[in-house]
Amino acid sequence: MTKLTNATGGERRWWGVLPVLPAPVLGGMAKQMEQVGFEGCFSLQIYGPPFVPMAAVAAMTDTLKVSTGIAVAGTRSPVETAYAAIELDTISQGRFVLGLGTSLHSALEGIYGEPRRKLLTHLREVVKIVRYVNANGHKEMVPLHGEYYDLAWTEKMMTPPPVREHIPIWIAALKDKLTSLTLEIADGLMVHALWTVDYTVQKKSFIEAELARFGRKRDGVEINAWPWIAINDDKQQAIDDSRATVAGYAGYKEYESFFDSIGFGDLARDCQLAAGEHGDVSGVIDKVSDEMVQAFVKCGPVDDVLEQIEPFWGVVDSLCPMTPYRNLSMEQLTSYNEGLFRMVAEAKRRGG
């Protein structure tokens, strides 16, 4: 059997997303992921901090890596984020990856009541503090002063020695400035689900150029893509089931320039929702064309979808396929999630 490789000549690695579920169900899904051959799993920050479900998964698995995909950097102290990362790395015995992201101003202010910050400046500072605490929390520490945090450690309690003094940090990015920052300071780049296959292929030269500018080697940074995938022998049904998810993302004003850059600006503007209405996309679903859905969501049977996503492997080291999720019943979500498991199992069987 021919061994299929990723962009750096290594093994193709598959990740998945696990929702917050009762422990028996969550544990069963995580163990199934291990059996299928997934590299790791992510927990999203939809409501609370995503460290909690990953701690549960870590306790119920043996080899599966666990990650926050993403922990929003602006909703907690970076010192607390560092401590949570250290504790999760302890629970998982060195299987934790800290996934961070900025989220949007509208979410940080409108959901969490956080003050407006310069998101990239703040994220850079958070990463610096997390790394420092991870490496030095069990030692003497010097004060750190930044634009947002002044840490004098006047009440510091030393942590136990960590499992690792360097826990990998992956950052999720959509636009060029955050992508560039990620390639400068992080161990991994999680490209946004809005990065279509074609867009990802086009960004390969940008990624390579930025890594060279920062004096970094390509094989020193994990590139991880998050494509939406809807496995269904009825391709049109998969397209229809995915339409609301695409409409939801198109509805954010803050993403308008990105949609413009990939040719869907007018359709995205048709989908834009007023502040506070992003939970209900029913009024704009019909604005999303089949063409737009298929640009962002790979739909159809397993064989067809594996062919559609193959170009990703020329750019990335790992894939984290996700199902569409908006306006779907639990039965539909379960069916599409089972489809992802079948797809990964088939990909592994083929040597990738």
Side-chain angles (χ1 to χ4, degrees), residues 63-83:
T63 61
L64 195 69
K65 292 179 181 178
V66 293
S67 180
T68 51
I70 61 167
V72 179
T75 60
R76 73 191 68 79
S77 160
V79 178
E80 181 182 345
T81 297
Y83 287 154

Side-chain angles (χ1 to χ4, degrees), residues 262-280:
I262 59 174
F264 290 106
D266 289 340
L267 287 173
R269 278 182 281 277
D270 287 343
C271 293
Q272 283 179 9
L273 298 162
E277 293 180 356
H278 292 285
D280 181 11

Side-chain angles (χ1 to χ4, degrees), residues 45 51 68 71-88 96 98-100 126-127 129-130 133-134 149 167 169:
Q45 181 166 355
F51 304 98
T68 51
V72 179
T75 60
R76 73 191 68 79
S77 160
V79 178
E80 181 182 345
T81 297
Y83 287 154
I86 292 169
E87 290 172 356
L88 244 174
F96 180 61
L98 176 60
L100 291 174
V126 167
V127 170
I129 293 168
V130 169
V133 173
N134 184 193
Y149 301 99
I167 295 171
I169 296 177

Side-chain angles (χ1 to χ4, degrees), residues 38 158 161 304:
F38 281 83
M158 285 190 181
D304 290 354

Side-chain angles (χ1 to χ4, degrees), residues 207-219:
I207 290 170
E208 292 173 345
E210 290 299 276
L211 287 172
R213 184 162 73 93
F214 299 124
R216 306 191 69 188
K217 295 182 178 180
R218 171 62 182 83
D219 61 6

